[in-house]
Amino acid sequence: MKKIKYSLLLVCSITLVGCFGSDTTSSSSVDRMIDNPTPNEIKVIIDGNELNIPAKSSVNYTFEYGKHTLSYGNQSLNFIAKPSTTNSSGLINPTQSNYYLLTTFYTTSNVSDETYDKLIAKYLNSVPVIIKGEQQELELPVKVINDVFIERQKDFWDYSVDEPYPDEVTLRGKGQFQSRKIKLFREDGFIEALKAEGLNEKVDFINEHPKFSELKKYTIPNIQLDAITCKKGREFVETQLNDWNKLFTLTGKDLALLYKQLTSSETFHTKHAIITECTKAGDSNQSYQFATRELEEAFDETNQLNFFITQ
């Protein structure tokens, strides 16, 4: 297969950007852009409400915390809108179109092409495309995503689809000479960026995605409470499971308050303090620790997200 290497060299300086969490309990909803990058108008149905989104445009929509339904074409899915433990943003992609996370480096003027190539090398991926009717590969510093819910805290970017790369940024810190930056592109914009870098052939990117029914769904772990030999540990895990199940029925600020409680430092410290008590009480098989580990693995993957798909 033919491979074309793509390298974007920007000679400039760098700025470091910080990200801070906020108190989400004062809100009862989350705003999110629903994007339509296709050449045709689409109809999306949210909780029975029809939204007609013109070609190559988007609409902003407010989702109250709680359970919702999204339908597009002949497919539907259920999802929960909730607070996240950090500031989060993103977009909703009902058409499951390809979006592109392009990595580049801003560097000082004394950085050679050879040094830049070394910096970018570990971000290169072979991306399947169609050129002149044949499947080939482009070697690009890009990640292709087509999730329905594209969230910045899962697939991080510095610049969103409607934000251009700045001409330069400010470098801070002695000895700094480069900084990695990531931009999220719609497909049309990404192809234009490739053309600007000298790619003259017509390229069609391959889009492969699962059906709505095949998407990963979030479920509460099935923990056998009777297997937890420590009484206090068993009571704590039972309370946690009951509270997490309430997230599927609560709405608005009620959901936000419960979510804050579940993800609070107090809950974390209580959970770990019980480990010591259960050990002293003779939980030699660490049944409580195994149960809480199951909870952590199930819940941690959604903590920084505003949306997750459910049954």
Side-chain angles (χ1 to χ4, degrees), residues 72-120:
Y72 169 69
N74 60 355
Q75 301 187 93
S76 294
L77 58 79
N78 298 317
F79 65 97
I80 298 288
K82 67 171 187 63
S84 65
T85 53
T86 58
N87 286 336
S88 187
S89 61
L91 58 88
I92 297 175
N93 173 29
T95 62
Q96 294 175 281
S97 298
N98 284 348
Y99 288 78
Y100 301 84
L101 289 165
L102 176 67
T103 295
T104 192
F105 282 88
Y106 284 77
T107 68
T108 52
S109 58
N110 61 335
V111 171
S112 66
D113 289 358
E114 181 182 5
T115 299
Y116 184 87
D117 287 344
K118 289 179 180 178
L119 289 171
I120 205 70

Side-chain angles (χ1 to χ4, degrees), residues 181-229:
K181 296 294 181 183
I182 301 172
K183 175 168 167 53
L184 180 67
F185 283 91
R186 300 180 181 96
E187 186 162 298
D188 285 355
F190 184 58
I191 291 175
E192 288 303 313
L194 290 178
K195 288 179 178 178
E197 291 300 312
L199 184 65
N200 297 318
E201 296 177 283
K202 184 180 183 299
V203 175
D204 292 310
F205 286 88
I206 296 172
N207 178 271
E208 295 179 338
H209 58 261
K211 297 177 181 179
F212 280 12
S213 60
E214 298 169 342
L215 295 172
K216 179 181 178 181
K217 296 175 179 62
Y218 178 91
T219 57
I220 302 295
N222 183 22
I223 295 176
Q224 299 299 315
L225 293 172
D226 291 344
I228 303 174
T229 59

Side-chain angles (χ1 to χ4, degrees), residues 228-235 274 277-278 281 283 287-288:
I228 303 174
T229 59
C230 169
K231 181 176 182 294
K232 192 163 186 177
R234 183 168 60 251
E235 291 172 347
I274 293 174
E277 295 184 42
C278 285
D283 186 11
S287 59
Y288 169 69

Side-chain angles (χ1 to χ4, degrees), residues 32-294:
R32 197 51 45 99
M33 177 176 77
I34 306 175
D35 201 37
N36 173 21
T38 75
N40 303 304
E41 180 181 84
I42 64 171
K43 180 173 73 174
V44 178
I45 302 174
I46 306 290
D47 303 329
N49 300 315
E50 292 188 4
L51 299 175
N52 292 304
I53 308 177
K56 299 183 185 299
S57 65
S58 60
V59 299
N60 290 322
Y61 196 90
T62 299
F63 294 89
E64 183 183 30
Y65 293 148
K67 194 169 185 177
H68 298 274
T69 299
L70 181 151
S71 300
Y72 169 69
N74 60 355
Q75 301 187 93
S76 294
L77 58 79
N78 298 317
F79 65 97
I80 298 288
K82 67 171 187 63
S84 65
T85 53
T86 58
N87 286 336
S88 187
S89 61
L91 58 88
I92 297 175
N93 173 29
T95 62
Q96 294 175 281
S97 298
N98 284 348
Y99 288 78
Y100 301 84
L101 289 165
L102 176 67
T103 295
T104 192
F105 282 88
Y106 284 77
T107 68
T108 52
S109 58
N110 61 335
V111 171
S112 66
D113 289 358
E114 181 182 5
T115 299
Y116 184 87
D117 287 344
K118 289 179 180 178
L119 289 171
I120 205 70
K122 69 178 181 178
Y123 300 102
L124 294 173
N125 293 303
S126 293
V127 181
V129 298
I130 303 296
I131 299 178
K132 295 181 180 179
E134 295 184 2
Q135 182 169 331
Q136 303 179 19
E137 289 184 350
L138 293 180
E139 191 176 43
L140 305 168
V142 73
K143 178 181 179 182
V144 183
I145 52 176
N146 47 42
D147 298 332
V148 175
F149 299 104
I150 298 176
E151 299 213 47
R152 188 175 181 178
Q153 292 301 326
K154 179 182 177 184
D155 295 296
F156 179 79
W157 59 85
D158 298 285
Y159 311 110
S160 192
V161 288
D162 295 321
E163 296 178 283
Y165 275 121
D167 292 332
E168 63 180 27
V169 288
T170 302
L171 188 146
R172 300 183 187 278
K174 185 177 180 181
Q176 293 290 324
F177 70 93
Q178 55 79 20
S179 179
R180 182 169 64 99
K181 296 294 181 183
I182 301 172
K183 175 168 167 53
L184 180 67
F185 283 91
R186 300 180 181 96
E187 186 162 298
D188 285 355
F190 184 58
I191 291 175
E192 288 303 313
L194 290 178
K195 288 179 178 178
E197 291 300 312
L199 184 65
N200 297 318
E201 296 177 283
K202 184 180 183 299
V203 175
D204 292 310
F205 286 88
I206 296 172
N207 178 271
E208 295 179 338
H209 58 261
K211 297 177 181 179
F212 280 12
S213 60
E214 298 169 342
L215 295 172
K216 179 181 178 181
K217 296 175 179 62
Y218 178 91
T219 57
I220 302 295
N222 183 22
I223 295 176
Q224 299 299 315
L225 293 172
D226 291 344
I228 303 174
T229 59
C230 169
K231 181 176 182 294
K232 192 163 186 177
R234 183 168 60 251
E235 291 172 347
F236 177 83
V237 171
E238 183 175 18
T239 298
Q240 288 279 286
L241 289 172
N242 288 337
D243 285 345
W244 279 104
N245 274 294
K246 289 178 185 176
L247 290 181
F248 291 77
T249 58
L250 294 177
T251 60
K253 288 190 176 181
D254 290 336
L255 187 151
L257 288 168
L258 178 60
Y259 190 78
K260 182 181 181 181
Q261 171 198 316
L262 284 166
T263 57
S264 68
S265 58
E266 290 82 5
T267 298
F268 176 84
H269 291 309
T270 298
K271 175 176 62 180
H272 285 274
I274 293 174
I275 292 177
T276 302
E277 295 184 42
C278 285
T279 300
K280 291 179 179 178
D283 186 11
S284 57
N285 292 327
Q286 299 182 328
S287 59
Y288 169 69
Q289 287 175 260
F290 282 118
T292 55
R293 195 172 302 152
E294 278 192 71

